[in-house]
Amino acid sequence: MMNKELPIGFMDSGLGGLSVLREAVRIMPAEDFIYFGDSLHAPYGTKEQSVIRDLTFAVVENLMKQGIKGLAVACNTATSAAVRLLRSMYQDLPIVGIEPAVKPAVVSSHGGRILVMATPMTIAQEKYHLLLEQYRDQADIVSVPCGGLMEFVERGKFDGEQLDTYFRENLMPYITDDTETIVLGCTHYPFLRPHLQEFLGDRPIRLIDGSLGTSMELKRRLKVKGLLREENRTGTVTIQNSSGSQAMIDRSYELLAMPF
Ligand code: DGL
């Protein structure tokens, strides 16, 4: 049975979902959270859909066994591959997923180009195509597949020459004079935001992501079900990682504490 005292489960293919978790902790400070990063099997974004599904199911089953009252699939790739099925498997559990923040980008746009950086798998999924379809006639939206970019975050590399080279080779070809917004469509990328902003220099390009929106939706769903803790207490965050490496756990807590 679900009750208010249970923690909220978070999952990602690795450390990226911590960019969503930090928003959730900020807006739901009384909650306890369990975060599971599947770094052993990362990246998800260059794997087949069926493989991503099975990996996601295994992580969620593990969290369910530990006992959770709600779930955030804090990974765009796992969301697009598996969230619908998860909802049918765990019908009583409030489940939120994350998808590239295309809607907020379009709504606040001034007519310029919108780039969506995401994993190749997110971009290949039907869910993403349906999302783009809704806005096709309202904005010039261009997808930028960023295979390999999440690994910088997994390795704790947030700046440096290699990252510049990555941006130069994989992002710059898409940037036009009228590019106005870049959507960070993978939960690892917000940790690269400071360096990306620096790399972009004085180009007037906004960077946006869906982490706050996703956390707000999670809070709303918990509240509707009477599962939100609103008492005066400070909750806990427990981080688990399939790599079995203490260094990954330590890096996770560091990421969570990074100013943003
Ligand atoms: N953090 C994941 C996402 O939001 C993907 C990283 C990966 O490729 O595993 O899409």
Side-chain angles (χ1 to χ4, degrees):
M1 252 322 268
M2 261 173 308
N3 66 66
K4 261 192 191 183
E5 278 68 46
L6 287 173
I8 299 169
F10 265 68
M11 68 91 44
D12 179 46
S13 60
L15 311 187
L18 294 159
S19 64
V20 187
L21 179 61
R22 62 187 180 179
E23 295 282 9
V25 170
R26 197 164 60 84
I27 65 168
M28 293 180 275
E31 299 289 347
D32 294 332
F33 295 91
I34 305 185
Y35 179 94
F36 192 97
D38 196 10
S39 296
L40 177 65
H41 301 111
Y44 281 11
T46 47
K47 291 188 166 65
E48 303 247 326
Q49 189 191 52
S50 60
V51 177
I52 300 166
R53 276 189 183 152
D54 289 345
L55 290 169
T56 306
F57 293 163
V59 172
V60 175
E61 202 180 314
N62 175 336
L63 287 169
M64 288 300 287
K65 277 195 186 131
Q66 299 186 59
I68 54 172
K69 64 175 179 184
L71 172 72
V73 181
C75 174
N76 294 262
T77 311
T79 297
S80 49
V83 83
R84 226 171 18 165
L85 288 167
L86 284 173
R87 289 205 177 101
S88 64
M89 288 158 82
Y90 303 105
Q91 293 183 6
D92 294 332
L93 185 73
I95 300 178
V96 298
I98 186 164
E99 62 180 10
V102 172
K103 183 177 172 186
V106 172
V107 168
S108 59
S109 140
H110 297 94
R113 173 177 273 200
I114 297 169
L115 298 181
V116 183
M117 296 171 71
T119 70
M121 197 55 199
T122 295
I123 289 171
Q125 292 283 321
E126 191 197 359
K127 194 170 188 303
Y128 178 71
H129 287 276
L130 293 173
L131 178 70
L132 287 197
E133 202 52 51
Q134 292 175 47
Y135 301 103
R136 184 177 298 283
D137 50 2
Q138 294 174 50
D140 170 27
I141 307 172
V142 178
S143 307
V144 184
C146 292
L149 186 54
M150 66 85 81
E151 274 92 338
F152 284 89
V153 176
E154 292 287 300
R155 286 187 275 119
K157 294 263 173 290
F158 306 107
D159 52 25
E161 189 45 44
Q162 266 188 321
L163 190 53
D164 281 348
T165 306
Y166 187 97
F167 289 148
R168 216 173 293 120
E169 289 175 357
N170 299 281
L171 176 63
M172 279 311 285
Y174 295 89
I175 293 185
T176 48
D177 285 345
D178 73 334
T179 296
E180 141 174 63
T181 308
I182 297 179
V183 175
L184 303 176
C186 164
T187 55
H188 282 73
Y189 305 163
F191 293 113
L192 302 173
R193 178 195 287 250
H195 192 67
L196 178 54
Q197 200 82 68
E198 200 180 301
F199 176 86
L200 292 169
D202 49 16
R203 291 182 187 83
I205 300 179
R206 262 179 342 146
L207 305 180
I208 65 170
D209 67 73
S211 51
L212 179 59
T214 301
S215 296
M216 282 167 52
E217 177 62 9
L218 176 62
K219 183 174 181 180
R220 193 188 66 78
R221 290 202 194 188
L222 290 168
K223 185 151 179 119
V224 167
K225 290 228 171 198
L227 290 170
L228 189 68
R229 291 183 85 148
E230 291 174 287
E231 71 265 36
N232 188 12
R233 80 187 278 272
T234 303
T236 59
V237 174
T238 306
I239 295 179
Q240 303 170 345
N241 194 287
S242 56
S243 67
S245 143
Q246 187 55 41
M248 289 305 264
I249 303 276
D250 294 346
R251 184 168 300 150
S252 299
Y253 283 109
E254 278 163 30
L255 286 178
L256 200 55
M258 255 189 193
F260 66 104

